[in-house]
Structures are given as structure tokens and as C-alpha cells.
Amino acid sequence: MFGPRTRAPLADPGRPLTVTTSDGVTLRGLRVPCRDTFGLDAGTHVRNEGAGPVFVVCHGFTNSTAKPSTRAVIDLLAGFETVVALDFRGHGRSGGLASVGRDEILDLDAAVGWARSEGHGPVHVVGFSMGASVALRHAALAGRTGEGVHHLPDTVVSVSSPSRWYIRDSAPMRRVHWLLEHPLGPTVGRLLGVRLGEAWTDIPGTPLELIERIDSTPLLLVHGTADHYFSPAHALALKAASAGHAELWIEDGMAHAESGSGPDLIERIARWAHALSAPSAAV
């Protein structure tokens, strides 16, 4: 059970982590051990050093584990359980080229697989924006023949996910599409911390098309009313397409993804995941 927590825990830099995806891309990130879950003084208690529950964090487009907004989420979640976070391909210190959510399901699969191989479980995936769409697509496709993803998580949290592709009804998304479509996009992308791959030739299934396949894994959809990238209509559509399986939180005044997720929301997400993986625990 979760006890009282210190609001400003000392950040743990974590241990460097390197994994290789099934298609040969080297990913780098970190593993931050759990601390202070039971209300001990911050920084004095490390639990589940080699096993136990784990959060796998999936960052948004142009983000990485080194970006302050993503690192803040990692630090907050590490107050509850161990955290594994990798830079997606084409981002941060990882190799490869970004495919903006298509091939990144292989990156997430490598992270979940690594956590399982280290004895961690339950595995809670928490994705933000592009990372949220990756989390949904991964959970929907894991174990299906020909998809190349094999490691189903125990719970999935999708924060600020798009429901479909080619969204141009907000100014930030029009800028994203300029980045993806303009000849100067790759150059500008490198300045933003992302190395872009080729444009899609085959269109991958959208979260909206695939979410109904997530029929046994606990699923939480989170979206803010002040999201300036994707309106809450995306979360409502995903909820409807899940045939009632997904739980939906529409957060009043919340902005987009990691930068819009405050400590209270991250704590509620952690408690939600814990309650579902340990239903007999009082939280």
C-alpha cells in the first residue's frame, strides 16, 4: 500500500540502460530505482532493486529522457516504483531514425521485454502524446503474428494521445506536419533533438482502429481540456472505440502530455496502476 509521500523527493540520476530492438536499433535510456514508496524519508530507501513492479515511460515526439518535462515524470513515478525509460529511435542518445510512432512499437517492446527479463512485474506502461499512441498500438498488436511485438504489459496509461493520423486542426500540429513534410524538416528536426526517417509509404493502423483489441489489459486514457495539440474529442473517440473497456479521465485545465502533467496527476496515475495490479491492497 502507498503511504504518505514527500512532495519534493531528491532526483536519482538512475543507471544507464542500453537495449537493442528486434530490428537492430540500439536504444539508450535509464533505470531509476524505486524510493520512498512506504513514506520513508526521501532518498533513504531503495526497494525492488532487481525485481518488483516497474513503470515504463514513453516520451512524446522531440522529447527524450533528458528533457526536463519527461525527467520530471520519471522522478515522480520513481517515488512509487522503479522506472525504465528509453529514448525512442531518432531521439536523444538512441540510434536509428524516428518514424513518428510506427516503428517505435518495437522500441517499447524492447523496453518491456528487458523489464521482464530482469524479473520486473507487473509492468505498467505510461505513454505521452506520440508515446501514448505507441503504447496503445503496442498493447493492441503484442503477440499478433507478423507484428514483431511480443511483450504485453500488465497495464497501459495513455496521456494526450491522438486517435488518428494527419491531424491539422491545431496550430502546433500544423507545425509538426511542416517539420515532417518540408524539405528543411530534417534539418530543423535535428535542432529540436530528433532525427527523422523517411515518410510513411504504408499507413500504420491508428490507435482508433486498434484500441478494441486491447480487451483484457487494464487501460486508462487521460486527456486535458486545455490540450493545444489534440482536443479531448480524441480521447472520447478512443473511449467509444474501446467498447467500454478503457477508463477515461478528462482533466479540467490540463495542457498537453508531459509538460501538462502535474505531480497530483502523476500520483493518481501511479495509484491507479498499483490498485489494478494489486487489487487487494488499500490505496
Side-chain angles (χ1 to χ4, degrees):
M1 128 179 172
F2 290 138
R5 295 177 59 242
T6 302
R7 277 290 177 186
L10 297 173
D12 185 323
R15 297 180 178 181
L17 177 62
T18 300
V19 303
T20 302
T21 67
S22 61
D23 63 339
V25 177
T26 299
L27 306 177
R28 292 185 171 83
L30 69 159
R31 175 186 178 276
V32 181
C34 171
R35 66 183 182 284
D36 201 28
T37 298
F38 294 101
L40 301 180
D41 289 339
T44 64
H45 180 56
V46 175
R47 188 169 65 89
N48 298 332
E49 181 65 18
V54 63
F55 285 105
V56 175
V57 173
C58 306
H59 64 74
F61 182 56
T62 75
N63 266 354
S64 71
T65 56
K67 293 289 183 72
S69 59
T70 303
R71 185 64 215 221
V73 169
I74 293 168
D75 290 342
L76 287 163
L77 287 174
F80 294 99
E81 305 293 358
T82 295
V83 176
V84 168
L86 296 171
D87 295 340
F88 279 129
R89 62 184 63 205
H91 289 75
R93 296 180 299 116
S94 289
L97 298 174
S99 70
V100 201
R102 181 192 63 196
D103 300 334
E104 284 79 2
I105 60 172
L106 304 179
D107 303 350
L108 175 52
D109 200 57
V112 175
W114 182 89
R116 298 273 191 218
S117 72
E118 293 293 306
H120 284 290
V123 177
H124 309 298
V125 168
V126 184
F128 297 85
S129 192
M130 181 192 78
S133 70
V134 171
L136 292 174
R137 297 186 66 249
H138 173 265
L141 297 173
R144 295 180 180 269
T145 302
E147 298 296 344
V149 290
H150 309 288
H151 304 287
L152 186 68
D154 294 285
T155 63
V156 177
V157 181
S158 163
V159 182
S160 305
S161 178
S163 62
R164 49 187 171 79
W165 312 136
Y166 303 109
I167 300 158
R168 303 175 190 269
D169 51 4
S170 68
M173 284 306 299
R174 289 192 288 274
R175 290 194 290 271
V176 168
H177 280 89
W178 181 93
L179 187 70
L180 299 177
E181 296 167 354
H182 196 279
L184 292 177
T187 300
V188 176
R190 284 192 290 273
L191 297 176
L192 297 174
V194 59
R195 299 174 303 284
L196 294 170
E198 297 294 326
W200 293 343
T201 53
D202 298 321
I203 308 302
T206 68
L208 190 63
E209 292 168 330
L210 297 177
I211 194 171
E212 66 177 355
R213 300 184 185 181
I214 311 173
D215 54 5
S216 59
T217 304
L219 171 60
L220 173 62
L221 305 171
V222 182
H223 214 100
T225 60
D227 191 317
H228 55 298
Y229 280 82
F230 315 121
S231 77
H234 288 270
L236 293 169
L238 289 168
K239 165 68 173 177
S242 76
H245 175 65
E247 184 172 342
L248 174 63
W249 296 355
I250 298 295
E251 298 292 310
D252 187 38
M254 175 189 166
H256 185 65
E258 296 104 317
S259 60
S261 299
D264 289 342
L265 174 60
I266 297 302
E267 179 170 335
R268 284 193 286 124
I269 287 172
R271 291 180 181 275
W272 177 89
H274 176 81
L276 284 172
S277 62
S280 62
V283 295

